[in-house]
Amino acid sequence: MIELTMQDLSDIVGGQLVLADADSADSTISGEVHTDSRKVTPGALFFALPGESTDGHLFVGAAAELGASAAVVERAVDVAITQIVVPDGVAALATLAREVVARVRGRGRLKVVAVTGSNGKTTTKNMLRAILEQEGPTVAPFGSFNNHVGAPISMLGVDDDTEYLVVEMGASAIGEIASLIRIVTPDVGIVLKVGLAHVGEFGGPDAVETAKSEMVTDLPETAVAVLNIDDPRVVRMADKTRASVVWFGLDDRAEVRATDVVGSASGTSFTLLVDETSIPVDLRILGEHHAMNALAAIAATRALGVPPERAVAALGGLAKAARWRMEVQPREDGVVVINDAYNASPDSMAAALKTLAQVTAPDQRSVAVLGEMAELGEFSDEEHDRIGRLVVRLNIRKLVVVGHAARHIHNAAGLEGSWDGESVLVADADEAYDVLREELRPGDVVLVKSSGSAGLRFLGDRVAGVDG
């Protein structure tokens, strides 16, 4: 964060300044900003936010012990640390992020790129970081910091030297992306896809489309909207923005286009067609669907002046999409685990299964370990059923379905094919581990996939013998 005095910090968030004995109103703070006391480093600013299961005010003391310089609180606590008391900690966080980004923009050449979509946000954000950090000082979070708390925390990582800020914007309701856009208006806004992720919370696909379109509706004429030409719902967003539109995708009309997309066990390759040139692209990331994420990142950075050749070179050095996202975890006995269980939607589940079928050699056995796709609401039974049928149609050799909420995957697989023991329904991750320990043999390729709430990413680590 940029350097601020305690008084300046208090004035920005509209709080009451309660100074510790060792501080004055002119004392400065410029450290990291955290809401998790366990991550606090010396000089940090700690936001004590109330949560669903705990209250950040209980950890102000822990933050102080780790060296935090100040805490933003909703009520003063009996801890020897400077405190700024505000009515609403989340609102104060957003206000501070807005002001800090505005000051950095006003003093330098900061450009902001924001990305949203039902799938692929974090991978695309990581691709953007890989490209832009080769061009200049770049701030982009490690991990999926994309909500009303995580996104402002990401923004507060900028300082006066920062040239590029990459922000991931997620939503579980209409209005949430719009609120993030009001904090920081992007120079480039990306919409990847409108799918069924969180559709249960939104109330239907039309509501998801409305929410994702908030990325571009308030962009100024000077901004660029990077849109997926292959998704009809995203295409409609071009009529809702004043920004210049750049299309990416597989369609011949896309300005940034991919052809000859090929997935293999070593990664994904395609030919990039842009600016009347063709450039071979080799990604070390599993899954043909990641070609679309790469196109979005190339299109966005091209809008910022980065030559596509340099963007492609940077992407070639990206070893994996992110932790627990198509993460290849080979074992010494020849079993290969593909741990993609950070999150799941019908689209990403189907893409992961297609990748499993694609990368499994004829002399290997494909094994899918699948858990619940959460937050699908009324679409849940139908979409889990569809995934079970897809498993059979892709000729996946073994299916382990984990948890009652995912049972329709198991049931549909049994109805789709004349299986005899190829699909097993187990109660939990421990039971799944016991089954896999008995069943797996050298050469097996194992996909582990579920929503984060099912916790199968830890099962994937356990099967692979990887320490968390």
Side-chain angles (χ1 to χ4, degrees):
M1 188 178 70
I2 63 173
E3 184 174 89
L4 298 169
T5 67
M6 297 297 183
Q7 187 63 59
D8 198 11
L9 173 60
S10 180
D11 290 343
I12 290 170
V13 300
Q16 176 189 356
L17 181 61
V18 181
L19 290 165
D21 291 342
D23 287 334
S24 71
D26 293 329
S27 298
T28 60
I29 183 170
S30 60
E32 299 174 351
V33 180
H34 291 290
T35 59
D36 185 340
S37 63
R38 295 168 295 183
K39 298 179 180 179
V40 165
T41 53
L45 173 62
F46 177 64
F47 272 79
L49 302 180
E52 293 181 2
S53 58
T54 188
D55 186 343
H57 294 79
L58 300 175
F59 303 98
V60 174
E65 289 179 2
L66 289 173
S69 292
V72 176
V73 297
E74 294 182 0
R75 62 181 184 275
V77 297
D78 186 19
V79 175
I81 185 176
T82 291
Q83 299 172 46
I84 297 96
V85 184
V86 297
D88 185 327
V90 173
L93 179 63
T95 299
L96 180 61
R98 182 184 303 111
E99 179 64 19
V100 166
V101 172
R103 291 190 185 190
V104 173
R105 258 183 164 158
R107 294 199 287 254
R109 49 185 177 175
L110 178 68
K111 296 293 184 181
V112 179
V113 185
V115 56
T116 195
S118 297
N119 307 109
K121 292 185 296 297
T122 300
T123 298
T124 304
K125 177 259 299 176
N126 290 344
M127 289 179 168
L128 288 164
R129 181 180 55 232
I131 297 168
L132 292 173
E133 66 185 5
Q134 302 297 316
E135 305 296 318
T138 299
V139 170
F142 289 89
S144 186
F145 281 56
N146 61 30
N147 64 8
H148 63 292
V149 173
I153 290 289
S154 301
M155 299 171 197
L156 286 167
V158 301
D159 59 29
D160 288 329
D161 294 326
T162 306
E163 294 184 25
Y164 302 103
L165 168 63
V166 182
V167 183
E168 184 182 338
M169 294 186 177
S172 56
I174 290 173
E176 292 183 1
I177 292 176
S179 68
L180 295 175
I181 294 293
R182 285 193 291 270
I183 299 174
V184 56
T185 302
D187 298 283
V188 180
I190 305 168
V191 184
L192 298 169
K193 185 178 181 62
V194 175
L196 292 179
H198 307 294
V199 70
E201 293 184 345
F202 280 103
D206 290 343
V208 177
E209 178 182 343
T210 298
K212 299 303 181 185
S213 70
E214 293 170 6
M215 171 62 74
V216 300
T217 50
D218 290 331
L219 291 181
E221 294 178 358
T222 55
V224 176
V226 175
L227 302 179
N228 178 358
I229 202 168
D230 298 330
D231 187 328
R233 290 184 178 275
V234 177
V235 169
R236 288 199 287 264
M237 296 179 191
D239 296 330
K240 299 180 179 180
T241 184
R242 296 170 295 162
S244 301
V245 174
V246 172
W247 299 104
F248 71 92
L250 305 181
D251 191 286
D252 289 345
R253 298 167 296 168
E255 297 161 69
V256 180
R257 182 162 65 96
T259 62
D260 306 319
V261 180
V262 177
S264 69
S266 60
T268 305
S269 65
F270 61 92
T271 300
L272 171 67
L273 301 178
V274 59
D275 300 329
E276 300 183 349
T277 63
S278 63
I279 305 170
V281 180
D282 290 297
L283 304 175
R284 296 161 63 188
I285 302 172
L286 252 58
E288 289 184 359
H289 52 292
H290 287 306
M292 292 296 286
N293 300 329
L295 289 177
I298 292 166
T301 54
R302 170 176 170 266
L304 294 172
V306 180
E309 293 85 357
R310 288 217 297 263
V312 168
L315 291 178
L318 194 61
K320 60 183 178 182
R323 183 78 164 101
W324 299 309
R325 290 176 173 86
M326 299 303 287
E327 183 176 10
V328 180
Q329 301 171 323
R331 294 193 336 193
E332 291 183 358
D333 64 356
V335 171
V336 177
V337 177
I338 303 172
N339 194 339
D340 193 36
Y342 185 86
N343 215 338
S345 68
D347 288 335
S348 68
M349 184 77 84
L353 285 167
K354 291 173 184 176
T355 299
L356 172 64
Q358 195 171 53
V359 304
T360 303
D363 61 342
Q364 294 178 303
R365 185 175 64 153
S366 53
V367 181
V369 184
L370 308 180
E372 179 191 12
M373 299 177 291
E375 301 173 353
L376 293 178
E378 64 181 283
F379 300 92
S380 181
D381 291 356
E382 174 187 346
E383 292 301 325
H384 283 89
D385 182 283
R386 184 171 69 87
I387 291 300
R389 296 178 187 277
L390 179 62
V391 168
V392 177
R393 292 169 187 172
L394 290 172
N395 200 30
I396 305 301
R397 308 301 298 180
K398 180 75 179 178
L399 173 64
V400 179
V401 179
V402 185
H404 180 74
R407 66 193 182 281
H408 288 286
I409 299 176
H410 169 74
N411 295 339
L415 293 171
E416 180 73 12
S418 55
W419 280 19
D420 182 18
E422 289 91 342
S423 181
V424 178
L425 176 64
V426 298
D428 54 32
D430 286 338
E431 191 174 339
Y433 179 78
D434 291 340
V435 169
L436 294 167
R437 184 175 54 188
E438 295 295 324
E439 290 276 347
L440 293 183
R441 55 182 186 244
D444 286 350
V445 183
V446 185
L447 170 71
V448 183
K449 180 73 173 171
S450 73
S451 285
S453 57
L456 295 198
R457 59 193 183 278
F458 305 115
L459 171 65
D461 285 347
R462 188 179 177 192
V463 172
V466 173
D467 294 330

